[in-house]
Amino acid sequence: MTLASVQGQPRAMDALQSALRSGSVHHAYLFAGPEGVGKELAAVGLAQALTCPEAPEVGCGKCTSCVRITKGLHPDVTWVMPDDERVSRGLAGRSDFTGTPSRELRVEQIRQLQERLALRGLESKRKVAILVSAEQMNVQAQNAFLKTLEEPPAETTLILVASAMDRLLPTIRSRCSKVYFGPLPVDLVARHVQQERKLDADTAALAAVMSGGSLGRALALDVDALKERKDVLTAFEALNGDDIPALLRFAEAHGGSREDADTALELLILWTRDVSLAKAGAGDAMANRDLKALAEAAAKRTSEAQLHRRHTLLESARTAIGSRNGAPRLQLERLLIELCVEGR
């Protein structure tokens, strides 16, 4: 596990490897991009390259130093993450905390990090700090961390890993060298999913498309839910404005929680794309290739303007549920009524 093992992110890797070769490593990096696309793997690789005694500025990935970084055990590489993240990774138990483990990075954690960075490195000349889910720093923590960015300890590299960069204060973003990570190629994700989860090629391809180019999300997708998509999409295409109770039943079935509603909306957004492809005569490029006949039938009765409107409404509903804390069932009811009143 080194920088060379990060796949599907050539621009990000070129930027980091160029900095290492030229000796112009920045004191603080912000690795920004969707979840599950290699940001944390790249942070590990950069930490290895900065501390590896066998292959300086590259990282061998095999020596004791590199292996301990991978396991989170190197004394000069500090990991900071929210408590609930530590629990989900098996690094701590719920009994280790009073009450519910925090989803935030707290100011106490930042102060502990500052104290540790003030010490001399035990094994390596350079010290590295990796802040996982850095956007989860609360305001107090961000203000405290700002001092470290403004007056970084000597021979220290800070790596902030963030999936929502806009949640960080502008003053923090401006003091970091930004490295952007984009969605991974679908074929790369599909290949890994097929190998690791032992899925058939079509199911792996669908998981890759639905994950939005995130290997992490693709590996975590519920395969049974993927198989149920046919029933969901068939029911959606059968909805019409003359049967309001059916609209409400659909919203009730898929609006029980934010997660359920987000999954349904993500599926419908992907389906809208498939219908658009079928309308353009490119059905073979669909994600739901086994539902090609259904998509072609929907394409015949739906105009391009209606498909564009449907996509806009679906995205708006997803944003309302995810970002504005909109009630899932209510948002789905509103979406379906808006779609069916004026037609899809």
Side-chain angles (χ1 to χ4, degrees):
M1 183 181 293
T2 63
L3 281 177
S5 67
V6 179
Q7 300 180 46
Q9 302 291 352
R11 294 181 62 183
M13 294 307 97
D14 286 348
L16 293 175
Q17 290 169 339
S18 176
L20 287 165
R21 286 193 300 268
S22 64
S24 56
V25 175
H26 201 271
H27 76 278
Y29 285 95
L30 174 54
F31 288 3
E35 293 183 7
V37 297
K39 302 187 301 298
E40 194 170 321
L41 180 62
V44 170
L46 179 58
Q48 290 174 327
L50 293 172
T51 59
C52 180
E54 303 297 330
E57 313 306 329
V58 177
C60 69
K62 300 177 181 179
C63 68
T64 301
S65 175
C66 286
V67 170
R68 280 192 293 169
I69 290 174
T70 302
K71 295 180 178 180
L73 299 175
H74 195 291
D76 299 321
V77 178
T78 304
W79 290 76
V80 184
M81 64 186 71
D83 291 338
D84 72 332
E85 183 80 12
R86 293 178 60 206
V87 172
S88 67
R89 297 185 183 206
L91 301 176
R94 291 189 176 276
S95 60
D96 296 328
F97 305 97
T98 301
T100 303
S102 176
R103 299 179 64 181
E104 294 183 328
L105 278 175
R106 296 168 287 104
V107 66
E108 292 83 0
Q109 292 173 279
I110 299 304
R111 288 172 178 158
Q112 290 172 2
L113 171 64
Q114 291 167 334
E115 292 174 0
R116 185 160 183 175
L117 293 178
L119 302 175
R120 180 176 298 180
L122 296 177
E123 297 182 7
S124 173
K125 181 180 178 181
R126 181 170 290 273
K127 294 166 290 184
V128 180
I130 301 174
L131 281 74
V132 178
S133 299
E135 73 275 15
Q136 296 300 104
M137 277 191 284
N138 59 35
V139 175
Q140 294 86 351
Q142 291 195 50
N143 285 326
F145 186 68
L146 190 57
K147 182 177 181 181
T148 301
L149 286 175
E150 292 172 339
E151 302 174 9
E155 302 296 336
T156 296
T157 298
L158 307 167
I159 307 173
L160 285 70
V161 179
S163 298
M165 182 178 68
D166 59 316
R167 295 183 188 175
L168 292 169
L169 294 174
T171 45
I172 287 183
R173 299 199 301 266
S174 66
R175 286 167 172 76
C176 296
S177 177
K178 301 173 191 65
V179 182
Y180 296 101
F181 292 72
L184 295 170
V186 171
D187 58 345
L188 173 65
V189 176
R191 186 167 63 252
H192 279 281
V193 170
Q194 187 173 8
Q195 291 173 351
E196 295 189 34
R197 298 189 63 177
K198 311 301 181 185
L199 301 177
D200 61 85
D202 286 344
T203 302
L206 179 61
V209 173
M210 289 194 66
S211 74
S214 166
L215 179 57
R217 290 185 64 190
L219 291 173
L221 276 175
D222 184 347
V223 176
D224 291 334
L226 290 178
K227 293 177 181 178
E228 293 170 1
R229 75 194 190 284
K230 182 175 181 179
D231 294 336
V232 176
L233 298 177
T234 301
F236 174 75
E237 287 299 339
L239 296 174
N240 65 78
D242 295 329
D243 190 355
I244 298 300
L247 303 184
L248 300 180
R249 286 195 298 271
F250 189 95
E252 181 180 11
H254 302 287
S257 68
R258 297 190 192 284
E259 292 75 16
D260 290 345
D262 187 70
T263 298
L265 289 170
E266 186 175 22
L267 179 59
L268 293 176
I269 289 170
L270 181 61
W271 176 245
T272 301
R273 171 185 176 275
D274 282 350
V275 175
S276 297
L277 289 171
K279 193 169 189 65
D284 290 339
M286 290 171 48
N288 297 279
R289 287 190 290 268
D290 57 333
L291 301 179
K292 185 177 179 181
L294 181 65
E296 290 175 341
K300 289 180 180 179
R301 62 174 180 268
T302 313
S303 68
E304 291 184 6
Q306 288 171 324
L307 286 171
H308 177 74
R309 179 172 178 273
R310 180 198 292 187
H311 184 271
T312 300
L313 290 173
L314 287 166
E315 288 285 5
S316 296
R318 193 177 186 194
T319 299
I321 291 172
S323 303
R324 303 177 198 158
N325 295 319
R329 180 175 173 178
L330 178 60
Q331 291 297 327
L332 287 181
E333 289 177 355
R334 180 180 299 171
L335 164 72
L336 295 173
I337 291 173
E338 286 191 59
L339 279 176
C340 294
V341 166
E342 297 182 17
R344 303 198 203 94

